[in-house]
Amino acid sequence: VRIPYDGLPAGWWAVQKTYHSGKCRGNQYLRFFSNLHSGLCSIRKVFTEDARDRGIDPELALKEYEANIKKSLDRKRQALEAKGIMHKEKRDEALTHFRSKFGPLDGAIVSHFPGWRAEWKTLETCGQTHVKYFDASGTSFALIVNIEA
C-alpha cells in the first residue's frame, strides 16, 4: 500500500508492507521506490541513490536532508512550545522555577482553579485511579507536572 511520506525526493514513493512469517509476523515495515530503484530499506539510501542518479554528491544530499529534518523538528518543537508543551530540559527548568516560587501543586489545588475540572477513572484491570485535569479552554493535562511547567 502506498503511503504518504514527507521529505522524499521527487519521483519517489513509500510502500507499507507486512511481514507474513517469522517472529515479526504481522508487523509492518516500509520500502522506498522510484522508476529506477525498488525496495530500498532506508531513507538515507533513498537520498544517496537519488543524488547519484542526478549526478550530485551523495554526502551533500544527505547533509541537506538532515538539515531539513532538523528545521522541521525545530518548527514542530516551537509549535508545541507555543501550546505550552515543552521539551524535557525546558520543562524541567520551568518546573523547578515554578516549585521554588509557589511550591508543588496537588490534585485538590488544581481541581479548584477557576474554570478547571478534574475527571477520575478507575482502571478495572489494576485498580489504579487515572486523573485528567482540564483547563477553562478544555485543554487536558494527564500529569500535574505539565501544569506546573
Side-chain angles (χ1 to χ4, degrees), residues 110-124:
V110 173
S111 61
H112 286 92
F113 285 169
W116 285 61
R117 63 183 169 78
E119 291 181 1
W120 291 265
K121 178 180 177 183
T122 301
L123 305 175
E124 294 178 18

Side-chain angles (χ1 to χ4, degrees), residues 68-121:
N68 288 337
I69 290 296
K70 185 178 180 330
K71 286 179 190 173
S72 175
L73 290 174
D74 288 344
R75 282 193 301 272
K76 287 178 182 177
R77 181 177 288 161
Q78 288 171 354
L80 288 172
E81 285 180 4
K83 291 180 179 179
I85 302 169
M86 297 179 217
H87 192 261
K88 182 175 177 8
E89 291 84 22
K90 274 193 161 183
R91 188 192 79 183
D92 290 348
E93 186 180 308
L95 180 63
T96 301
H97 177 73
F98 179 91
R99 287 183 174 172
S100 69
K101 190 168 185 175
F102 302 107
L105 292 176
D106 62 26
I109 294 171
V110 173
S111 61
H112 286 92
F113 285 169
W116 285 61
R117 63 183 169 78
E119 291 181 1
W120 291 265
K121 178 180 177 183

